[in-house]
Amino acid sequence: MEKLFNDIDLELLVKRKNSRKEDFRGAFYRDTTAIIHSSPFRRLKHKTQVFFAPSNDHICTRMEHVLHVSSIASTICRPLGLDTELAWAIGMGHDLGHTPFGHVGEVIMDKISQAKGFGCFEHEVNSLRVVDKLSDNGKGLNLTYAVKDGIVSHCGEHFVQRIIPSFEIKDLDSIKTRRSLVPTTFEATVVRFSDSIAYLGRDFEDATRLGILSEPLPEDIKSVLGSTNGEIINTLVTDIIENSSQSEGVGFSDKVYKAVERMKDYNYNYIYRSDILKGYTSYFERLLKLIYSYIEGLFKDGVDIKQSCEAEKNMLAAGFYAHYAEMKDVYASMNEGVDRLIFDYVAGMSDNFALDCANEILKPEHLNDKIELSQRGKWFDA
């Protein structure tokens, strides 16, 4: 183990799109507070990590996941002499652009995005869009360059043994895909590994709790990594700390990385491709397409959008109109139209809100209320 340092000017790392005088919190801790107080962060508590199980308090949510990532990254950074506050901020913000229903939802929104001509949808790039262009009614969170770079380049689903940071300042506004992106800093590189560490053992733990595993964890994996989430995290964190260096970057030893690859394959075969998750795909695809087409239908020829939404008399239409009224000028300033506004609105939903929206569309409760009031009137007359 050796102390690592970033071969790049700190002034460039803390640069913000809109300059501001820093305060006693420091630039990166200030970013963390901005993220915590943002609406996209609040929605993470009702977003799926892997398993859609809102009634089970012990199954990992997206908010819990980002806390795990931040904690793991900060732990790794401390003995390596890196900035723990930068790592924490990146970890807290890295999934703010995730869709409802986890990676199943991401695949569905990618299909919609490409069909609408918006290009591929990747939650890493969308997370950058959320923090930079959409949050706070279009003002953005005005985060530092280093945190935004870490957010867009985290890509925890792409397993590699070792990464050396680029130490280059990217043009973040020009990024259309996270493919081939290399983090600028050691801290962002640590977060990228921490993302994988956080879910590798936890997904196994959740699948065990739900009783969906058809095959036990192989002995050759357990003998190296451990058999519980806690043991797996401890093994991987310790191995990265002991095997990272200034010249070779951040990474795993050969022995541990082989076990990581084996466990990744195990998780894909028996968890991510399990029948229970396959069953979610068609259901959630119908649900999200239903919501999307319903909102599109609110824009009727010759009818004012406010009147159209009011006529629906439901929470979804009313909520969407409030969002549309707040954001339409923002999208106009970005030369983007209503189609993109609708897409971002659906992509940003929490699981629970999406389910409530579908319920609003399919169950006209306001009509039932009218019938009930009418019946009550008859009873009183009698």
Side-chain angles (χ1 to χ4, degrees), residues 57-84:
D57 292 334
H58 301 285
I59 300 303
C60 193
T61 64
R62 185 66 55 181
M63 180 173 281
E64 188 181 350
H65 169 70
V66 302
L67 290 169
H68 287 321
V69 171
S70 298
S71 175
I72 291 167
S74 181
T75 300
I76 294 171
C77 284
R78 190 178 300 277
L80 294 178
L82 299 173
D83 193 318
T84 58

PDB file of all heavy atoms in Angstrom, residues 57-84:
ATOM      1  N   ASP A  57     -38.604  -4.422   4.067  1.00  0.00           N
ATOM      2  CA  ASP A  57     -37.671  -3.389   4.512  1.00  0.00           C
ATOM      3  C   ASP A  57     -36.214  -3.833   4.447  1.00  0.00           C
ATOM      4  O   ASP A  57     -35.309  -3.008   4.578  1.00  0.00           O
ATOM      5  CB  ASP A  57     -37.975  -2.963   5.955  1.00  0.00           C
ATOM      6  CG  ASP A  57     -39.299  -2.229   6.070  1.00  0.00           C
ATOM      7  OD1 ASP A  57     -39.730  -1.632   5.058  1.00  0.00           O
ATOM      8  OD2 ASP A  57     -39.915  -2.265   7.154  1.00  0.00           O
ATOM      9  N   HIS A  58     -35.962  -5.119   4.275  1.00  0.00           N
ATOM     10  CA  HIS A  58     -34.596  -5.636   4.338  1.00  0.00           C
ATOM     11  C   HIS A  58     -33.976  -5.853   2.960  1.00  0.00           C
ATOM     12  O   HIS A  58     -32.845  -6.340   2.870  1.00  0.00           O
ATOM     13  CB  HIS A  58     -34.576  -6.937   5.134  1.00  0.00           C
ATOM     14  CG  HIS A  58     -35.089  -6.768   6.538  1.00  0.00           C
ATOM     15  ND1 HIS A  58     -34.356  -6.172   7.528  1.00  0.00           N
ATOM     16  CD2 HIS A  58     -36.288  -7.080   7.092  1.00  0.00           C
ATOM     17  CE1 HIS A  58     -35.061  -6.132   8.643  1.00  0.00           C
ATOM     18  NE2 HIS A  58     -36.238  -6.673   8.404  1.00  0.00           N
ATOM     19  N   ILE A  59     -34.696  -5.497   1.905  1.00  0.00           N
ATOM     20  CA  ILE A  59     -34.163  -5.619   0.548  1.00  0.00           C
ATOM     21  C   ILE A  59     -33.599  -4.267   0.125  1.00  0.00           C
ATOM     22  O   ILE A  59     -34.220  -3.229   0.339  1.00  0.00           O
ATOM     23  CB  ILE A  59     -35.253  -6.089  -0.437  1.00  0.00           C
ATOM     24  CG1 ILE A  59     -35.780  -7.462   0.000  1.00  0.00           C
ATOM     25  CG2 ILE A  59     -34.709  -6.163  -1.854  1.00  0.00           C
ATOM     26  CD1 ILE A  59     -34.727  -8.556   0.115  1.00  0.00           C
ATOM     27  N   CYS A  60     -32.427  -4.275  -0.477  1.00  0.00           N
ATOM     28  CA  CYS A  60     -31.680  -3.050  -0.768  1.00  0.00           C
ATOM     29  C   CYS A  60     -32.428  -2.122  -1.719  1.00  0.00           C
ATOM     30  O   CYS A  60     -32.896  -2.542  -2.783  1.00  0.00           O
ATOM     31  CB  CYS A  60     -30.327  -3.415  -1.369  1.00  0.00           C
ATOM     32  SG  CYS A  60     -29.150  -2.052  -1.428  1.00  0.00           S
ATOM     33  N   THR A  61     -32.520  -0.855  -1.344  1.00  0.00           N
ATOM     34  CA  THR A  61     -33.081   0.172  -2.211  1.00  0.00           C
ATOM     35  C   THR A  61     -31.936   0.948  -2.853  1.00  0.00           C
ATOM     36  O   THR A  61     -30.774   0.826  -2.466  1.00  0.00           O
ATOM     37  CB  THR A  61     -33.959   1.153  -1.424  1.00  0.00           C
ATOM     38  OG1 THR A  61     -33.135   1.856  -0.485  1.00  0.00           O
ATOM     39  CG2 THR A  61     -35.077   0.417  -0.691  1.00  0.00           C
ATOM     40  N   ARG A  62     -32.269   1.792  -3.808  1.00  0.00           N
ATOM     41  CA  ARG A  62     -31.248   2.589  -4.488  1.00  0.00           C
ATOM     42  C   ARG A  62     -30.591   3.576  -3.507  1.00  0.00           C
ATOM     43  O   ARG A  62     -29.386   3.813  -3.583  1.00  0.00           O
ATOM     44  CB  ARG A  62     -31.901   3.341  -5.652  1.00  0.00           C
ATOM     45  CG  ARG A  62     -30.965   4.106  -6.527  1.00  0.00           C
ATOM     46  CD  ARG A  62     -30.012   3.253  -7.304  1.00  0.00           C
ATOM     47  NE  ARG A  62     -30.650   2.239  -8.122  1.00  0.00           N
ATOM     48  CZ  ARG A  62     -29.976   1.356  -8.877  1.00  0.00           C
ATOM     49  NH1 ARG A  62     -28.661   1.399  -8.909  1.00  0.00           N
ATOM     50  NH2 ARG A  62     -30.606   0.457  -9.586  1.00  0.00           N
ATOM     51  N   MET A  63     -31.359   4.130  -2.574  1.00  0.00           N
ATOM     52  CA  MET A  63     -30.762   5.049  -1.603  1.00  0.00           C
ATOM     53  C   MET A  63     -29.780   4.320  -0.697  1.00  0.00           C
ATOM     54  O   MET A  63     -28.685   4.824  -0.401  1.00  0.00           O
ATOM     55  CB  MET A  63     -31.837   5.740  -0.759  1.00  0.00           C
ATOM     56  CG  MET A  63     -31.251   6.702   0.264  1.00  0.00           C
ATOM     57  SD  MET A  63     -32.494   7.675   1.150  1.00  0.00           S
ATOM     58  CE  MET A  63     -32.871   8.940  -0.059  1.00  0.00           C
ATOM     59  N   GLU A  64     -30.154   3.130  -0.259  1.00  0.00           N
ATOM     60  CA  GLU A  64     -29.244   2.351   0.574  1.00  0.00           C
ATOM     61  C   GLU A  64     -27.969   2.024  -0.193  1.00  0.00           C
ATOM     62  O   GLU A  64     -26.860   2.089   0.347  1.00  0.00           O
ATOM     63  CB  GLU A  64     -29.939   1.065   1.031  1.00  0.00           C
ATOM     64  CG  GLU A  64     -29.139   0.272   2.050  1.00  0.00           C
ATOM     65  CD  GLU A  64     -29.851  -1.003   2.467  1.00  0.00           C
ATOM     66  OE1 GLU A  64     -31.039  -1.168   2.119  1.00  0.00           O
ATOM     67  OE2 GLU A  64     -29.205  -1.831   3.123  1.00  0.00           O
ATOM     68  N   HIS A  65     -28.119   1.712  -1.474  1.00  0.00           N
ATOM     69  CA  HIS A  65     -26.957   1.376  -2.305  1.00  0.00           C
ATOM     70  C   HIS A  65     -25.974   2.538  -2.387  1.00  0.00           C
ATOM     71  O   HIS A  65     -24.763   2.345  -2.237  1.00  0.00           O
ATOM     72  CB  HIS A  65     -27.423   0.975  -3.711  1.00  0.00           C
ATOM     73  CG  HIS A  65     -26.302   0.867  -4.693  1.00  0.00           C
ATOM     74  ND1 HIS A  65     -25.360  -0.139  -4.654  1.00  0.00           N
ATOM     75  CD2 HIS A  65     -25.963   1.656  -5.750  1.00  0.00           C
ATOM     76  CE1 HIS A  65     -24.486   0.025  -5.640  1.00  0.00           C
ATOM     77  NE2 HIS A  65     -24.834   1.110  -6.311  1.00  0.00           N
ATOM     78  N   VAL A  66     -26.467   3.762  -2.619  1.00  0.00           N
ATOM     79  CA  VAL A  66     -25.529   4.885  -2.752  1.00  0.00           C
ATOM     80  C   VAL A  66     -24.824   5.160  -1.425  1.00  0.00           C
ATOM     81  O   VAL A  66     -23.657   5.587  -1.418  1.00  0.00           O
ATOM     82  CB  VAL A  66     -26.213   6.165  -3.291  1.00  0.00           C
ATOM     83  CG1 VAL A  66     -26.864   5.903  -4.639  1.00  0.00           C
ATOM     84  CG2 VAL A  66     -27.198   6.764  -2.317  1.00  0.00           C
ATOM     85  N   LEU A  67     -25.483   4.897  -0.306  1.00  0.00           N
ATOM     86  CA  LEU A  67     -24.831   5.045   0.991  1.00  0.00           C
ATOM     87  C   LEU A  67     -23.734   4.001   1.160  1.00  0.00           C
ATOM     88  O   LEU A  67     -22.649   4.294   1.689  1.00  0.00           O
ATOM     89  CB  LEU A  67     -25.861   4.932   2.118  1.00  0.00           C
ATOM     90  CG  LEU A  67     -26.846   6.091   2.237  1.00  0.00           C
ATOM     91  CD1 LEU A  67     -27.972   5.730   3.208  1.00  0.00           C
ATOM     92  CD2 LEU A  67     -26.142   7.353   2.705  1.00  0.00           C
ATOM     93  N   HIS A  68     -23.995   2.770   0.719  1.00  0.00           N
ATOM     94  CA  HIS A  68     -22.973   1.721   0.764  1.00  0.00           C
ATOM     95  C   HIS A  68     -21.769   2.106  -0.085  1.00  0.00           C
ATOM     96  O   HIS A  68     -20.618   1.959   0.335  1.00  0.00           O
ATOM     97  CB  HIS A  68     -23.542   0.397   0.253  1.00  0.00           C
ATOM     98  CG  HIS A  68     -24.500  -0.263   1.188  1.00  0.00           C
ATOM     99  ND1 HIS A  68     -24.325  -0.291   2.555  1.00  0.00           N
ATOM    100  CD2 HIS A  68     -25.652  -0.950   0.959  1.00  0.00           C
ATOM    101  CE1 HIS A  68     -25.315  -0.949   3.124  1.00  0.00           C
ATOM    102  NE2 HIS A  68     -26.141  -1.358   2.179  1.00  0.00           N
ATOM    103  N   VAL A  69     -22.026   2.582  -1.303  1.00  0.00           N
ATOM    104  CA  VAL A  69     -20.942   2.950  -2.211  1.00  0.00           C
ATOM    105  C   VAL A  69     -20.091   4.060  -1.595  1.00  0.00           C
ATOM    106  O   VAL A  69     -18.854   4.003  -1.595  1.00  0.00           O
ATOM    107  CB  VAL A  69     -21.496   3.397  -3.579  1.00  0.00           C
ATOM    108  CG1 VAL A  69     -20.382   3.981  -4.456  1.00  0.00           C
ATOM    109  CG2 VAL A  69     -22.153   2.217  -4.296  1.00  0.00           C
ATOM    110  N   SER A  70     -20.747   5.083  -1.045  1.00  0.00           N
ATOM    111  CA  SER A  70     -20.019   6.198  -0.441  1.00  0.00           C
ATOM    112  C   SER A  70     -19.174   5.740   0.738  1.00  0.00           C
ATOM    113  O   SER A  70     -18.019   6.163   0.904  1.00  0.00           O
ATOM    114  CB  SER A  70     -21.011   7.277   0.014  1.00  0.00           C
ATOM    115  OG  SER A  70     -21.729   7.799  -1.075  1.00  0.00           O
ATOM    116  N   SER A  71     -19.738   4.868   1.568  1.00  0.00           N
ATOM    117  CA  SER A  71     -19.028   4.374   2.741  1.00  0.00           C
ATOM    118  C   SER A  71     -17.814   3.536   2.335  1.00  0.00           C
ATOM    119  O   SER A  71     -16.719   3.691   2.893  1.00  0.00           O
ATOM    120  CB  SER A  71     -19.983   3.545   3.602  1.00  0.00           C
ATOM    121  OG  SER A  71     -19.300   2.951   4.683  1.00  0.00           O
ATOM    122  N   ILE A  72     -18.002   2.648   1.376  1.00  0.00           N
ATOM    123  CA  ILE A  72     -16.911   1.792   0.916  1.00  0.00           C
ATOM    124  C   ILE A  72     -15.806   2.626   0.265  1.00  0.00           C
ATOM    125  O   ILE A  72     -14.612   2.432   0.539  1.00  0.00           O
ATOM    126  CB  ILE A  72     -17.441   0.730  -0.067  1.00  0.00           C
ATOM    127  CG1 ILE A  72     -18.322  -0.281   0.675  1.00  0.00           C
ATOM    128  CG2 ILE A  72     -16.295   0.013  -0.788  1.00  0.00           C
ATOM    129  CD1 ILE A  72     -19.126  -1.178  -0.242  1.00  0.00           C
ATOM    130  N   ALA A  73     -16.197   3.567  -0.583  1.00  0.00           N
ATOM    131  CA  ALA A  73     -15.212   4.401  -1.270  1.00  0.00           C
ATOM    132  C   ALA A  73     -14.414   5.234  -0.274  1.00  0.00           C
ATOM    133  O   ALA A  73     -13.184   5.371  -0.390  1.00  0.00           O
ATOM    134  CB  ALA A  73     -15.908   5.305  -2.282  1.00  0.00           C
ATOM    135  N   SER A  74     -15.087   5.799   0.723  1.00  0.00           N
ATOM    136  CA  SER A  74     -14.412   6.597   1.736  1.00  0.00           C
ATOM    137  C   SER A  74     -13.439   5.743   2.547  1.00  0.00           C
ATOM    138  O   SER A  74     -12.331   6.184   2.869  1.00  0.00           O
ATOM    139  CB  SER A  74     -15.450   7.238   2.663  1.00  0.00           C
ATOM    140  OG  SER A  74     -14.836   8.038   3.646  1.00  0.00           O
ATOM    141  N   THR A  75     -13.843   4.517   2.833  1.00  0.00           N
ATOM    142  CA  THR A  75     -12.980   3.600   3.574  1.00  0.00           C
ATOM    143  C   THR A  75     -11.707   3.280   2.800  1.00  0.00           C
ATOM    144  O   THR A  75     -10.612   3.261   3.369  1.00  0.00           O
ATOM    145  CB  THR A  75     -13.733   2.289   3.881  1.00  0.00           C
ATOM    146  OG1 THR A  75     -14.893   2.585   4.662  1.00  0.00           O
ATOM    147  CG2 THR A  75     -12.847   1.305   4.633  1.00  0.00           C
ATOM    148  N   ILE A  76     -11.837   3.042   1.507  1.00  0.00           N
ATOM    149  CA  ILE A  76     -10.673   2.735   0.668  1.00  0.00           C
ATOM    150  C   ILE A  76      -9.761   3.954   0.544  1.00  0.00           C
ATOM    151  O   ILE A  76      -8.531   3.850   0.605  1.00  0.00           O
ATOM    152  CB  ILE A  76     -11.119   2.260  -0.726  1.00  0.00           C
ATOM    153  CG1 ILE A  76     -11.845   0.908  -0.620  1.00  0.00           C
ATOM    154  CG2 ILE A  76      -9.926   2.132  -1.675  1.00  0.00           C
ATOM    155  CD1 ILE A  76     -12.507   0.467  -1.922  1.00  0.00           C
ATOM    156  N   CYS A  77     -10.364   5.127   0.377  1.00  0.00           N
ATOM    157  CA  CYS A  77      -9.581   6.346   0.162  1.00  0.00           C
ATOM    158  C   CYS A  77      -8.750   6.741   1.381  1.00  0.00           C
ATOM    159  O   CYS A  77      -7.652   7.294   1.239  1.00  0.00           O
ATOM    160  CB  CYS A  77     -10.502   7.506  -0.220  1.00  0.00           C
ATOM    161  SG  CYS A  77     -11.087   7.448  -1.926  1.00  0.00           S
ATOM    162  N   ARG A  78      -9.260   6.461   2.574  1.00  0.00           N
ATOM    163  CA  ARG A  78      -8.582   6.940   3.785  1.00  0.00           C
ATOM    164  C   ARG A  78      -7.140   6.432   3.892  1.00  0.00           C
ATOM    165  O   ARG A  78      -6.210   7.243   4.008  1.00  0.00           O
ATOM    166  CB  ARG A  78      -9.404   6.552   5.019  1.00  0.00           C
ATOM    167  CG  ARG A  78      -8.926   7.210   6.305  1.00  0.00           C
ATOM    168  CD  ARG A  78      -9.846   6.802   7.464  1.00  0.00           C
ATOM    169  NE  ARG A  78     -11.214   7.201   7.240  1.00  0.00           N
ATOM    170  CZ  ARG A  78     -11.700   8.415   7.492  1.00  0.00           C
ATOM    171  NH1 ARG A  78     -10.903   9.347   7.965  1.00  0.00           N
ATOM    172  NH2 ARG A  78     -12.960   8.683   7.261  1.00  0.00           N
ATOM    173  N   PRO A  79      -6.876   5.121   3.862  1.00  0.00           N
ATOM    174  CA  PRO A  79      -5.487   4.673   3.992  1.00  0.00           C
ATOM    175  C   PRO A  79      -4.631   4.977   2.769  1.00  0.00           C
ATOM    176  O   PRO A  79      -3.396   4.973   2.870  1.00  0.00           O
ATOM    177  CB  PRO A  79      -5.615   3.156   4.206  1.00  0.00           C
ATOM    178  CG  PRO A  79      -6.920   2.805   3.600  1.00  0.00           C
ATOM    179  CD  PRO A  79      -7.808   3.985   3.825  1.00  0.00           C
ATOM    180  N   LEU A  80      -5.271   5.245   1.619  1.00  0.00           N
ATOM    181  CA  LEU A  80      -4.520   5.571   0.407  1.00  0.00           C
ATOM    182  C   LEU A  80      -4.177   7.053   0.330  1.00  0.00           C
ATOM    183  O   LEU A  80      -3.533   7.498  -0.621  1.00  0.00           O
ATOM    184  CB  LEU A  80      -5.318   5.159  -0.834  1.00  0.00           C
ATOM    185  CG  LEU A  80      -5.539   3.648  -1.028  1.00  0.00           C
ATOM    186  CD1 LEU A  80      -6.377   3.388  -2.272  1.00  0.00           C
ATOM    187  CD2 LEU A  80      -4.210   2.911  -1.111  1.00  0.00           C
ATOM    188  N   GLY A  81      -4.602   7.821   1.314  1.00  0.00           N
ATOM    189  CA  GLY A  81      -4.276   9.243   1.351  1.00  0.00           C
ATOM    190  C   GLY A  81      -5.075  10.079   0.375  1.00  0.00           C
ATOM    191  O   GLY A  81      -4.677  11.204   0.045  1.00  0.00           O
ATOM    192  N   LEU A  82      -6.224   9.565  -0.067  1.00  0.00           N
ATOM    193  CA  LEU A  82      -7.060  10.282  -1.024  1.00  0.00           C
ATOM    194  C   LEU A  82      -8.119  11.104  -0.307  1.00  0.00           C
ATOM    195  O   LEU A  82      -8.301  10.988   0.910  1.00  0.00           O
ATOM    196  CB  LEU A  82      -7.706   9.284  -1.996  1.00  0.00           C
ATOM    197  CG  LEU A  82      -6.734   8.457  -2.836  1.00  0.00           C
ATOM    198  CD1 LEU A  82      -7.476   7.392  -3.642  1.00  0.00           C
ATOM    199  CD2 LEU A  82      -5.923   9.354  -3.772  1.00  0.00           C
ATOM    200  N   ASP A  83      -8.840  11.912  -1.052  1.00  0.00           N
ATOM    201  CA  ASP A  83      -9.832  12.828  -0.483  1.00  0.00           C
ATOM    202  C   ASP A  83     -11.140  12.067  -0.231  1.00  0.00           C
ATOM    203  O   ASP A  83     -11.891  11.762  -1.158  1.00  0.00           O
ATOM    204  CB  ASP A  83     -10.073  14.001  -1.446  1.00  0.00           C
ATOM    205  CG  ASP A  83     -10.841  15.141  -0.795  1.00  0.00           C
ATOM    206  OD1 ASP A  83     -11.800  14.865  -0.056  1.00  0.00           O
ATOM    207  OD2 ASP A  83     -10.473  16.302  -1.034  1.00  0.00           O
ATOM    208  N   THR A  84     -11.410  11.777   1.027  1.00  0.00           N
ATOM    209  CA  THR A  84     -12.607  11.004   1.369  1.00  0.00           C
ATOM    210  C   THR A  84     -13.885  11.797   1.087  1.00  0.00           C
ATOM    211  O   THR A  84     -14.922  11.207   0.766  1.00  0.00           O
ATOM    212  CB  THR A  84     -12.586  10.591   2.851  1.00  0.00           C
ATOM    213  OG1 THR A  84     -12.496  11.760   3.671  1.00  0.00           O
ATOM    214  CG2 THR A  84     -11.396   9.688   3.137  1.00  0.00           C
TER     215      THR A  84
END
